[in-house]
Amino acid sequence: MTGVLLLGGTGAVGRGCFDVLTRLGGIHFVLAGRDEARLRAVASGVDVEIARIDVTDAAAVAAAATHCDVVINCAGPSTRFSAQVAEVAIAAGVPYVDPGGDHALIDRLTAYGTGVPVVLQAGVQPGLSGLLLRLLALHRAGAIDDVTAWCGGLQELTSASVLEYLASLHDTQSHSGAVLRDGVIRRATPDDCVPAPAPHFSQSATARPHLDTETVAVAAHLGIDSVCWMNVFDGAHTTRAMQRLAIDDERSHDLEAVRSAAKLDLFGREPYFAIVARAHDSLGSTTAAFSCPDSYRATGAVAAFAAMQVANMPAGVHPFWSIDEPSRALEFVTDAIPQATLSCCRDSALPIEEGAL
């Protein structure tokens, strides 16, 4: 990969992806977005090509894409932009990477037909979350009886991240308040709702069951019949503001109120993000955990890794969790993020060294 068109390069995820890839070196960037001044600020000190492009301008995106080896689309929310940009990249014959994209888009692009490799859901959830489940399976000698997982934390919110969350609530293929039990999607019971574990999460965090299509797909791939996936929220003000916005059914997007609530919850505290998955069998349990201060940079690092791999993948649509070598992907993301940690160990045992993953 020598030429990259990075769309949405001034956002939190785009900046993270740009920083990770520029540190690798040897890549010619076309850094694209609507605000040229912000693009130049992001690119300060780096030799890149700046392109003022609106992602909704298909002709402009196509013209820039034809001179690149891969298109990375970090413009959000993905529910608004991913489908059109993906189709433009595919028509131009250029491999495509996107941190977003729901299962409906995977089905749509698969039906549309692609002559190039496409990687969707190259973010933290979905994306890194599915790889952590695969990591658990790699370090189990026998069959896994069930898995409990927690994902979330305390982060500053962007407008795009709030809109992505609201869109997930309306995804008919995801199941809020549900778990997978004996291969069947069921309504969660109070017994399923296990508190988010310390030290990965604060005591103030709350956990709520949410079963998405990635979790169901990975469980089927690994032959796991029972999974309880918990989304973790740490911030009472943010939770209430998000609930009000969801109840309003997106008719009044008071996004700034939600972002202000998140800043209030962060006051005097350090941001954090974690994914923890615990597998049980007849011999005990094994826990895999990833944590970092910044989920947006983590998403950017995941997209960067996908961009490095996509040209060598077969044509077709690939959710990120399905890529080869999940351990190497997790190690890459961990190394790319200051203060990030990755571990996988038998409970009550010493952790496996990162180099042994």
Side-chain angles (χ1 to χ4, degrees):
M1 177 183 67
T2 58
V4 172
L5 172 61
L6 177 59
L7 299 164
T10 61
V13 172
R15 292 196 307 270
C17 183
F18 178 74
D19 184 57
V20 170
L21 288 175
T22 53
R23 288 173 185 269
L24 297 176
I27 299 173
H28 172 71
F29 270 99
V30 178
L31 187 62
R34 291 176 296 180
D35 190 324
E36 185 173 340
R38 291 179 63 194
L39 290 168
R40 295 195 179 280
V42 171
S44 178
V46 182
D47 184 18
V48 300
E49 181 180 344
I50 299 296
R52 189 172 180 273
I53 296 175
D54 189 322
V55 294
T56 62
D57 185 343
V61 173
T66 54
H67 302 290
C68 296
D69 301 309
V70 60
V71 173
I72 309 173
N73 180 26
C74 293
S78 65
T79 49
R80 291 186 182 175
F81 304 125
S82 292
Q84 177 179 312
V85 178
E87 290 175 359
V88 170
I90 292 167
V94 182
Y96 177 77
V97 171
D98 197 320
D102 56 16
H103 195 73
L105 181 57
I106 293 176
D107 289 343
R108 172 177 170 175
L109 294 181
T110 300
Y112 178 79
T114 67
V116 295
V118 172
V119 179
L120 299 179
Q121 301 180 343
V124 291
Q125 185 193 18
L128 211 61
S129 47
L131 291 193
L132 210 66
L133 293 179
R134 290 180 62 195
L135 180 66
L136 269 179
L138 288 173
H139 290 283
R140 302 292 292 186
I144 295 174
D145 294 333
D146 64 85
V147 171
T148 303
W150 302 264
C151 179
L154 179 66
Q155 295 281 289
E156 186 171 344
L157 296 178
T158 65
S159 296
S161 68
V162 175
L163 292 173
E164 295 279 12
Y165 173 74
L166 289 172
S168 74
L169 298 179
H170 297 276
D171 183 353
T172 57
Q173 298 190 56
S174 290
H175 308 275
S176 181
V179 297
L180 186 68
R181 284 284 174 256
D182 300 321
V184 178
I185 297 173
R186 306 178 186 274
R187 178 62 52 184
T189 68
D191 290 341
D192 292 316
C193 302
V194 182
H200 306 287
F201 300 96
S202 167
Q203 289 185 343
S204 59
T206 58
R208 300 177 181 176
H210 186 93
L211 194 64
D212 65 14
T213 54
E214 179 196 62
T215 303
V216 174
V218 178
H221 174 75
L222 298 175
I224 303 172
D225 290 334
S226 297
V227 179
C228 177
W229 188 279
M230 312 282 285
N231 284 348
V232 178
F233 304 88
D234 191 354
H237 298 94
T238 307
T239 301
R240 285 195 293 269
M242 292 286 272
Q243 287 173 337
R244 286 195 293 268
L245 197 57
I247 291 171
D248 195 39
D249 198 27
E250 302 185 62
R251 284 188 295 271
S252 175
H253 286 196
D254 194 357
L255 299 181
E256 286 307 312
V258 178
R259 296 183 65 191
S260 296
K263 291 178 181 178
L264 184 60
D265 285 325
L266 274 166
F267 182 76
R269 300 180 64 188
E270 293 295 325
Y272 73 93
F273 173 81
I275 309 174
V276 180
R278 185 168 295 152
H280 304 89
D281 62 17
S282 58
L283 299 177
S285 61
T286 300
T287 299
F290 170 85
S291 65
C292 70
D294 186 346
S295 64
Y296 301 108
R297 184 177 176 90
T299 296
V302 172
F305 182 84
M308 293 166 54
Q309 304 300 312
V310 67
N312 298 320
M313 299 173 69
V317 184
H318 310 272
F320 183 76
W321 71 261
S322 68
I323 66 166
D324 292 336
E325 301 184 83
S327 296
R328 189 162 72 92
L330 286 162
E331 289 174 348
F332 175 90
V333 173
T334 304
D335 291 343
I337 306 169
Q339 302 178 54
T341 63
L342 172 67
S343 63
C344 185
C345 64
R346 269 298 222 188
D347 293 335
S348 301
L350 292 175
I352 299 167
E353 294 293 331
E354 286 186 18
L357 291 174

